[in-house]
Amino acid sequence: MTAGPWLVLGAGALGQLFAARLATTNDTGSIALLGRHGALNQVRLQETDGNWQTRTLAYPTMAPALVIVATKAFDAEQALKQAQLAPGTPLLLLQNGFSVQPRLSTHWPGPVLCAATTEAAYRQPPPATGVVHAAAGHTWLGDLAATHGALAETVAATLTRAGLAASACDDIGERLWHKLAVNAVINPLTARHRVHNGALAAPPFSAEVEELCAEIAQLMAAAQISPPTEGWRGWVSAVIEATAGNRSSMLQDVLAGRPTERDAILAPLLALADTHALAVPRLRACYHATPG
């Protein structure tokens, strides 16, 4: 089902990283990258070992066998409309949060895989060009109805051979909630205080982390979403430690004057609070303090 060219929609840091890595394998036939201003014919990528590589990409002239949607959450549906894809084209969604994934899973006519990834990358600030692969991670993927397991296995194997470790799973919904919990703490706090992730491990920010984790734990328990093995606070702390030197995607957006994914990341949690009549003052304060 995925034989033939693949297309990456969205030329942000993650889209460029996936396109550059996939350009190193022949599994997909070719890989194209389509950004807001058209197709990119190459990507400059700094690997995790510090070496720079330039990867040549194909032009998106053929109907893709798979589309990796790497746009911001609020741009995903419009980008798909503009791409004018054939009905039934399989998608792999890389968006933060948990908003566009259920909508597209319900309304897109083809298979929709969702991904939760810990790959970290950022674009160099102008006038420099290129993307830095800041930290290698892992990508879990599957569909929310657990009906496209074979496709998920094939895509995961291709990503792994391209140097992006990946695994298919049948609990992607839970994994998306786990990632959302981390993003709901790290992104708004780092964006508001203009700090790297690691700063959240120490006072004065650690107290805010504790309060947000307590509210998230209450919400997840009400929604019967199982916590990570290390618990919500332990899970968030582990990610903060592992990504200490990283700038969150929301901080990057704020510094660049771009719209943020505030609604994709925080609104699902506020909706849970409304559904279960729970007070979450810290999460609501984060929402209102974060630019949209």
Side-chain angles (χ1 to χ4, degrees), residues 30-265:
S30 64
I31 184 77
L33 175 60
L34 188 60
R36 189 184 302 273
H37 303 295
L40 279 71
N41 59 13
Q42 66 178 27
V43 172
R44 288 185 67 246
L45 176 69
Q46 186 182 47
E47 304 282 8
T48 53
D49 62 7
N51 292 322
W52 283 93
Q53 304 287 341
T54 299
R55 305 298 185 192
T56 301
L57 307 175
Y59 189 80
T61 56
M62 298 175 61
L66 179 89
V67 174
I68 299 176
V69 186
T71 65
K72 295 292 187 181
F74 50 76
D75 281 334
E77 287 152 300
Q78 184 60 32
L80 285 168
K81 287 180 183 178
Q82 292 176 344
Q84 298 182 328
L85 302 171
T89 302
L91 306 180
L92 173 60
L93 307 181
L94 297 183
Q95 282 63 44
N96 281 325
F98 203 175
S99 57
V100 71
Q101 294 93 333
R103 286 201 304 273
L104 283 173
S105 294
T106 299
H107 299 297
W108 186 255
V112 177
L113 300 179
C114 305
T117 185
T118 58
E119 297 287 352
Y122 63 88
R123 287 180 288 185
Q124 289 190 301
T129 59
V131 169
V132 176
H133 192 181
H138 197 93
T139 300
W140 291 269
L141 54 98
D143 67 287
L144 295 178
T147 57
H148 299 295
L151 176 63
E153 293 281 359
T154 299
V155 174
T158 298
L159 292 175
T160 298
R161 284 191 291 271
L164 296 166
S167 303
C169 66
D170 57 8
D171 62 347
I172 191 62
E174 184 174 280
R175 290 183 183 275
L176 288 171
W177 279 115
H178 287 184
K179 185 178 180 184
L180 182 144
V182 170
N183 283 336
V185 176
I186 294 177
N187 275 276
L189 291 184
T190 55
R192 182 174 8 132
H193 298 299
R194 308 296 199 269
V195 296
H196 286 72
N197 292 3
L200 302 183
F205 310 121
S206 55
E208 292 184 87
V209 171
E210 185 75 38
E211 292 166 344
L212 287 171
C213 286
E215 291 188 356
I216 288 169
Q218 184 184 27
L219 289 176
M220 296 302 183
Q224 298 184 327
I225 298 164
S226 299
T229 304
E230 57 271 67
W232 296 108
R233 181 66 169 92
W235 168 242
V236 171
S237 296
V239 175
I240 289 172
E241 180 180 355
T243 63
N246 293 358
R247 290 184 302 169
S248 72
S249 60
M250 192 173 285
L251 173 58
Q252 294 179 53
D253 289 338
V254 168
L255 293 177
R258 297 188 295 259
T260 73
E261 292 182 297
R262 176 190 68 175
D263 289 318
I265 293 171

